[in-house]
Amino acid sequence: MSLPDHLRLATRPGAHADNIVHAGPARITVLTPALIRLEYSPDGAFEDRASQVALFRDTEPAAFDVRRTARPDGREALVLDTAALRLTYDGGPFATHGLSVQVKGGVSNYHSTWGYGQPPEGNLGGTARTLDMVDGECALEPGILSRYGVAVLDDSASLLLTDDGWVAAREPGRVDVYVFAHGRDYAGALRDFYALTGPTPVLPRFALGNWWSRFHRYSADEYEGLMDAFAAQRLPFSVAVVDMDWHRVDIDPALGSGWTGFSWNRELFPDPRAFLRHLRERGLRTTLNIHPADGIRAHEDRYTAAALALGRDPSTGEPIAFDAADPDFLHAYLQAVLHPMEAEGVDFWWLDWQQGPFSALPGLDPLWMLNHVHYLDSAREGARVGRPMTFSRYAGPGSHRYPIGFSGDTVVSWASLAFQPRFTATASNIGYGWWSHDIGGHLFGVKDDELATRWVQLGVFSPILRLHSTSDAFNSKEPWRFGREAARVMGDYLRLRHRLVPYLHTMNRRAHTHGQPLVRPIYHEHPWADGAYEVPNQFAFGTQLLVAPITAPTDLELGMAAVDVWLPEGRWYDLPTGLSYAAARGGRRIRMHRTLDDLPLLARRGTILPLAGASDDEAVSVENPTHLQVLVVAGTPEGGVGEFDLLEDRDDDAWVRTPLRFDGRSLVIGPCEAERSAESEVDSEGEPVDPFAAIPAVREWEVVVLGAANVTGASVAVGGRMRRGHVRPAGRDGVAVSVGPVEPGQRALVTLDGDMNPAGNDVPGRVFDLLDQAQIAFEDKRRAHAALTRPDDPRSGLLELGALNLPEPIRAALTEIVLAQ
């Protein structure tokens, strides 16, 4: 059994001989000082092939010491020390009393020792296969990070990858375990995990925009008309998802259920090629939903081709059963059935497998095999996506190699929304960074404008934003189907998602090269701060932002919803509201309150955030923009200089880097740096390749400084030519400076004049605004306002609030404003 060359993973599974220690029936491989592989084999034979999880064991020789001692029973005992751990092994079958690993580094001597067969303590969780029918929380599989410093990845049950690209079962009775003993070096644990399993691939740029999806019996005209309606409303989308009714579903029951199908419903889509072409002309990539479990049956358009590819007689009409354990079937399924449809214009497939983890080959999960071959097949020469990609459910550790993840059919409820931020962020603890949720929820529940709006806001700051709903005439996610205020806010955030694509694509590349997923729990960056573990729904969004989604309804008297936030030490600025916050050493817990328009989106002083387009109201595409707006948060950055390297390509790995540097007064843009040179590459006609082909030959730049106290002017220098810059107000407390056109090889410098100290919060004004909208007695408003607007110290008035008849949410929101800084 074998698969074509393009369906074979590149692996380097053999470990360096200097990293291997033999001890009777065990083999210990020191992959890094904190990552060891433990194998037990009763027959003394060990496995050097790659597995479904572990592809690369060829790490550099590691430093370690081994001491061997004789036991009274004649067996050899072993103690192995690295800089990160101590392993003790009694030389017998692996058992709790005879094999242990202790983490060094002061986490906890008691909790940080793991004995074989026992679950390590303090595991921070990983992810789950699906959120199908989940209403609230679900159990999570373990990850490779532990608050007590040791985590275990048991690879004993996974299949082996053979040289011909296929899989093979392991010999029974063997144990194959990886121990991650990184203490609280979470970044180091993830780096080692990716080094072992392979990195997260770079996604196609188009995947980072908005996706439209709905389980609905669309016709071609209706679908295209909807895309035109979105454009008319300035609602940008980059991916068109067509759910299962694109294919024939009303078939003879003798042929199957109708869920599996690979043939266009010509009544709804009379000219599929034209339909797909029209979507591409609108700037959309298209994916079709497929449920392949019932195989390929006689009514399918490509049945004859598939039967002939398998050497069968198509005249018999015998069904071709789905068989994930048959490489010949998989090859025919891809080549004879799916490739011709890709030639028509299908960009990638939404693989919807829900039939369980069993197949004809013991241990082979059909979902894993489908993810594996679909992803690799999308990387073949001539595939449409530019970069390989599939869209399917999670199939266990190592699934990060096959993005993007479809999390399943969530119930529409506040409980489901409240779980999704933690679910998404925690998945990074097993290296899984590209979840796509049904934003807004899939089924059941009630129509709730606020819930839908908050879910869209979360979607903007999720790895993938895909609006979706079930087959129900009343359940759909077009913003105009909600109330006026909800529709306005949804539209603003959908446009913001596309403006964020330059930042997202940079983080996309960083996830691949640095092993740092886009969405991460706060404790990844602050592992020793207790507060970082107490806000599981708060997360880092790339390198520049902290996000705390609102996942609870508005308090009717206050007119705001609340979320608990933990801020690391430093000065922070909330981009939507302009509120500034200060946190002392050890961090600070704050309950933040926001109207429907906003959620806490926090950035440090000196933060640099590139956005596509020139306006908040602009519906930009996901292509590399001709106009870039750079948001900079006023104040001197930590370390003296704020840095951001904008990374761009055209899904061809011809990357261009644009360095951005801010010292509190001046912002430097460029010059651009190419990762390939014209001297080293030529095109098909032998002409030098433009190393800056990924970006516009001339790009318009604008700098927006947020939270500046009193900027009086600016100077702009492009390519050494100085001029006065045009300065205009921007937002509540910002200024915008037009830089003008800049070529890739030029350096632009924007220097601000005036007081560059960050603006303080307008406490009296914000207190008045909050009380003005509050649905409480006028007398209570007047007394609270008088207490908190004393000219000497508004904080002293907080004591008086306790004596007033104020609801607790209003008292908490006023306290936030007064004490934020």
Side-chain angles (χ1 to χ4, degrees):
M1 292 184 176
S2 64
L3 287 171
D5 288 345
H6 77 278
L7 298 181
R8 304 182 188 187
L9 277 176
T11 64
R12 299 187 305 274
H16 196 288
D18 290 346
N19 288 347
I20 297 173
V21 176
H22 288 275
R27 184 170 73 167
I28 302 167
T29 306
V30 183
L31 295 168
T32 74
L35 174 59
I36 56 174
R37 182 189 188 196
L38 304 177
E39 296 173 274
Y40 174 80
S41 174
D43 59 9
F46 300 98
E47 188 55 67
D48 288 325
R49 287 175 288 182
S51 74
Q52 291 172 294
V53 176
L55 306 183
F56 307 105
R57 304 189 192 100
D58 59 334
T59 54
E60 293 297 318
F64 60 90
D65 295 318
V66 177
R67 302 194 309 275
R68 300 175 187 267
T69 59
R71 290 168 47 93
D73 60 7
R75 289 185 298 174
E76 183 179 72
L78 177 146
V79 177
L80 184 150
D81 275 287
T82 75
L85 62 86
R86 170 168 292 177
L87 176 145
T88 60
Y89 171 52
D90 67 359
F94 287 176
T96 303
H97 62 271
L99 174 60
S100 64
V101 175
Q102 181 180 7
V103 179
K104 299 178 180 179
V107 178
S108 165
N109 288 338
Y110 175 72
H111 295 287
S112 300
T113 298
W114 166 75
Y116 177 81
Q118 299 299 308
E121 295 188 66
N123 194 282
L124 290 165
T127 193
R129 185 178 180 110
T130 181
L131 292 177
D132 277 338
M133 304 301 292
V134 170
D135 186 3
E137 299 186 4
C138 71
L140 300 179
E141 300 171 12
I144 55 130
L145 308 184
S146 168
R147 198 167 177 180
Y148 290 125
V150 58
V152 173
L153 177 60
D154 190 342
D155 199 33
S156 305
S158 72
L159 299 178
L160 301 167
L161 304 185
T162 56
D163 292 339
D164 60 2
W166 195 235
V167 291
R170 295 175 182 259
E171 291 296 322
R174 294 183 183 177
V175 174
D176 191 355
V177 169
Y178 294 87
V179 180
F180 293 79
H182 292 77
R184 293 194 186 173
D185 180 10
Y186 300 148
L190 280 173
R191 284 194 299 270
D192 283 355
F193 176 76
Y194 288 129
L196 174 69
T197 61
T200 297
V202 180
L203 294 184
R205 187 180 176 100
F206 69 78
L208 303 174
N210 299 321
W211 297 30
W212 175 257
S213 177
R214 184 187 179 197
F215 184 8
H216 176 71
R217 199 173 177 84
Y218 283 111
S219 68
D221 289 343
E222 183 183 7
Y223 203 101
E224 292 181 42
L226 178 61
M227 296 302 108
D228 292 340
F230 283 139
Q233 294 274 345
R234 294 175 296 103
L235 300 173
F237 287 87
S238 62
V239 175
V241 183
V242 189
D243 213 319
M244 63 168 287
D245 284 300
W246 67 269
H247 65 75
R248 298 196 294 270
V249 298
D250 299 322
I251 63 173
D252 184 340
L255 295 173
S257 68
W259 280 89
T260 291
F262 304 99
S263 306
W264 285 95
N265 183 336
R266 298 286 176 158
E267 294 181 3
L268 299 175
F269 299 92
D271 188 346
R273 189 181 295 272
F275 168 69
L276 296 167
R277 184 178 69 251
H278 295 161
L279 293 180
R280 178 64 77 94
E281 290 168 353
R282 289 169 170 82
L284 295 157
R285 300 298 186 98
T286 305
T287 182
L288 305 183
N289 174 278
I290 51 175
H291 296 76
D294 284 344
I296 306 160
R297 291 156 297 172
H299 72 286
E300 302 284 5
D301 293 346
R302 302 295 301 173
Y303 171 77
T304 297
L308 292 174
L310 289 166
R312 303 183 188 183
D313 180 1
S315 67
T316 66
E318 289 292 322
I320 301 172
F322 176 86
D323 189 354
D326 181 358
D328 293 331
F329 167 80
L330 293 171
H331 189 208
Y333 158 76
L334 295 170
Q335 187 175 58
V337 179
L338 300 188
H339 290 181
M341 300 181 69
E342 293 174 22
E344 291 180 334
V346 178
D347 291 293
F348 64 103
W349 300 96
W350 174 8
L351 180 61
D352 208 344
W353 177 265
Q354 304 175 68
Q355 284 70 39
F358 306 108
S359 70
L361 177 61
L364 176 62
D365 183 344
L367 175 61
W368 181 89
M369 181 56 78
L370 282 167
N371 292 351
H372 178 73
V373 298
H374 265 267
Y375 180 82
L376 294 176
D377 189 62
S378 72
R380 74 186 188 280
E381 185 176 353
R384 290 182 56 86
V385 288
R387 279 200 169 99
M389 189 178 82
T390 192
F391 180 38
S392 181
R393 285 175 172 80
Y394 175 79
S399 289
H400 65 274
R401 297 193 301 260
Y402 312 118
I404 295 168
F406 163 52
S407 67
D409 300 339
T410 311
V411 172
V412 178
S413 70
W414 283 101
S416 293
L417 172 62
F419 180 56
Q420 279 194 4
R422 174 163 70 93
F423 179 85
T424 307
T426 306
S428 66
N429 295 347
I430 193 65
Y432 200 69
W434 290 112
W435 269 123
S436 170
H437 302 303
D438 287 358
I439 295 301
H442 180 74
L443 74 176
F444 305 139
V446 299
K447 184 166 185 175
D448 183 327
D449 285 12
E450 183 183 10
L451 172 61
T453 304
R454 292 302 190 190
W455 221 319
V456 169
Q457 290 173 338
L458 172 62
V460 170
F461 298 102
S462 294
I464 301 295
L465 194 164
R466 178 178 51 84
L467 301 177
H468 187 67
S469 50
T470 192
S471 181
D472 185 330
F474 295 102
N475 184 358
S476 191
K477 301 301 190 302
E478 296 94 341
W480 56 78
R481 295 189 62 171
F482 297 87
R484 180 180 301 176
E485 197 66 9
R488 177 187 62 80
V489 176
M490 287 181 190
D492 289 345
Y493 275 86
L494 290 172
R495 286 185 285 275
L496 174 60
R497 175 70 183 202
H498 273 229
R499 297 199 71 207
L500 282 165
V501 167
Y503 176 71
L504 294 170
H505 196 47
T506 300
M507 296 302 115
N508 182 18
R509 171 73 185 284
R510 187 179 180 86
H512 173 72
T513 57
H514 288 67
Q516 190 177 75
L518 170 67
V519 173
R520 307 178 309 286
I522 299 301
Y523 52 73
H524 277 213
E525 312 265 336
H526 305 278
W528 294 99
D530 290 343
Y533 298 87
E534 297 169 357
V535 285
N537 271 14
Q538 180 183 336
F539 52 84
F541 190 69
T543 58
Q544 305 295 292
L545 300 173
L546 294 185
V547 181
I550 303 287
T551 61
T554 290
D555 178 84
L556 296 181
E557 291 178 302
L558 175 62
M560 293 181 171
V563 60
D564 287 344
V565 178
W566 179 79
L567 288 181
E569 177 183 354
R571 299 278 180 170
W572 295 86
Y573 181 89
D574 182 49
L575 271 61
T577 66
L579 267 169
S580 294
Y581 298 87
R585 185 175 183 179
R588 182 184 184 191
R589 183 80 171 264
I590 305 174
R591 177 159 292 180
M592 297 187 180
H593 303 78
R594 297 294 185 268
T595 64
L596 187 63
D597 286 78
D598 305 318
L599 76 165
L601 181 59
L602 300 148
R604 290 184 183 274
R605 287 183 175 182
T607 288
I608 300 170
L609 182 68
L611 297 175
S615 164
D616 292 344
D617 204 34
E618 189 174 357
V620 298
S621 74
V622 295
E623 302 302 321
N624 293 327
T626 58
H627 194 295
L628 269 169
Q629 188 180 78
V630 181
L631 300 188
V632 179
V633 178
T636 302
E638 293 186 8
V641 178
E643 301 182 351
F644 188 86
D645 287 344
L646 176 65
L647 297 170
E648 300 171 278
D649 79 336
R650 297 181 299 184
D651 289 342
D652 58 0
D653 287 326
W655 291 93
V656 175
R657 182 187 308 270
T658 304
L660 306 171
R661 303 291 184 265
F662 180 64
D663 65 4
R665 180 171 294 277
S666 298
L667 177 74
V668 179
I669 301 171
C672 298
E673 305 163 2
E675 292 193 1
R676 69 180 186 184
S677 65
E679 291 75 20
S680 63
E681 295 196 34
V682 295
D683 62 21
S684 59
E685 298 179 356
E687 295 296 322
V689 172
D690 178 6
F692 300 113
I695 61 176
V698 176
R699 172 174 274 166
E700 290 282 337
W701 291 80
E702 183 180 58
V703 176
V704 176
V705 183
L706 300 173
N710 187 24
V711 174
T712 58
S715 61
V716 176
V718 178
R721 299 184 63 179
M722 181 78 71
R723 62 174 173 82
R724 293 302 296 169
H726 173 67
V727 178
R728 62 175 177 82
R732 183 168 185 150
D733 58 0
V735 295
V737 181
S738 175
V739 179
V742 180
E743 298 176 9
Q746 292 180 318
R747 176 180 182 268
L749 173 66
V750 178
T751 302
L752 302 164
D753 303 328
D755 181 5
M756 288 305 300
N757 290 318
N761 293 329
D762 175 15
V763 173
R766 290 181 183 272
V767 165
F768 181 89
D769 290 345
L770 188 150
L771 290 169
D772 189 42
Q773 73 171 6
Q775 307 293 296
I776 59 174
F778 291 119
E779 179 61 23
D780 289 338
K781 292 186 181 190
R782 286 191 292 269
R783 294 178 66 185
H785 183 260
L788 297 178
T789 55
R790 292 173 177 170
D792 52 348
D793 184 4
R795 292 174 295 180
S796 64
L798 290 173
L799 294 175
E800 293 187 27
L801 292 187
L804 299 180
N805 186 30
L806 291 179
E808 179 54 32
I810 294 177
R811 184 181 293 109
L814 291 169
T815 301
E816 177 196 351
I817 292 172
V818 173
L819 298 182
Q821 285 188 290

